[in-house]
Amino acid sequence: MIMISLISTVLNEEDSIRDFLESILNQSLLPDEIIIVDGGSKDRTYEILKEYEKKYSFIKVIQERGANIARGRNIAIKNSSGIIIVTADAGCKYDKDYIKEITKPLLKYILSNIEKFNIKKDEFLKYLKSKGIDIKELENIEEGEFVQGVYYPLYDNKFGKYAGFMLVKDPKKQYKVPSRTSARATAYFKYIWEEIKGYPENYVTGEDTRFHLEILNKKYKWVMNENAKVYWKMPKDIKEFYKKFEKYAIGDVLQGNIFKYKRLLIFFIGFWILIFILILSLILNFKLFIFIISLIILYLLYLAVRYYIKTKDPLTIIYIPILELTRRLAYQIGFIKGLYKKLL
């Protein structure tokens, strides 16, 4: 019986793909199949994947050149046989109990609604036993149709540590927030994907945000399991950090989010109004210029102190202002590049 399908889509992940796969293969509960779609990697990612496919019969690798993340996920799920879809991302490492924990609410839901899935109860109980799951383990678990895990920053240098402060929110602040619920840490029934008609393939970024928003709107039973832990690799330097936020901004423009959400439009227009006022005050009123610069510095110090209070790490006083300025600049440049692409 194929019950659990783990799916992922990758592109140019040569440096991290082995760590990702090993963290999946070392799970306390293995999926019944692993389906990975490569979007046309130009490094050795695809070759490495084929090595694992040859070694493990339950791994299936598909390549479609030019497939974006949404398209890759849709291809993987379309080719899956499981009732349960577990999503995962390369660039992450998974806690050894991740699959077991993220599927528990779904397995309990099946047990409570067995007739809905056209499965015989005795066969399902045999399946659970074969996976080493005692029914008693499910007694205190909240059942659900969509399960959200939690992700934490994974870093190997100081820059990555401080980037994590800005990129990763506290688990409780991730819950049921579509923009903070990531496909690097979710599981759901395949019928949800079918009813929502998959991930939106016209999205450059944020395809999972849109997918999760649809799940919320359609009132599927959404639960969180904080024991389903994922460790997301952080940018190792300011260049990677900048590129990540620039990409987010380009996606927001191409997908029309900048016009749908007032906060994004205000963020974009407000920045350039501030630049205009700064230039004007520098020419006409130097005291006003100094006053505005002082307010900007105070804001950056406020952020630094806030993170220092939270982390007790004195280096946040240096890193956080730099990261905040980089984030804002990356967004603005990304917005401009996105608008240029949209007009072409």
Side-chain angles (χ1 to χ4, degrees), residues 116-158:
K116 182 176 180 177
F117 295 91
N118 196 28
I119 300 172
K120 291 181 180 179
K121 189 172 182 179
D122 59 338
E123 289 182 0
F124 183 63
L125 293 175
K126 283 181 183 178
Y127 173 83
L128 293 179
K129 188 176 181 180
S130 72
K131 289 291 185 179
I133 298 174
D134 191 322
I135 295 180
K136 290 181 180 180
E137 291 182 58
L138 305 178
E139 286 179 359
N140 298 319
I141 297 292
E142 183 182 6
E143 66 181 50
E145 297 172 278
F146 177 90
V147 188
Q148 176 182 359
V150 296
Y151 54 93
Y152 299 91
L154 175 66
Y155 50 84
D156 50 21
N157 63 15
K158 285 189 179 294

Side-chain angles (χ1 to χ4, degrees), residues 215-231:
I215 290 170
L216 273 178
N217 290 339
K218 290 184 181 294
K219 310 293 184 184
Y220 293 107
K221 188 167 176 51
W222 180 315
V223 299
M224 173 184 263
N225 187 343
E226 291 192 34
N227 292 319
K229 300 172 185 176
V230 183
Y231 300 92

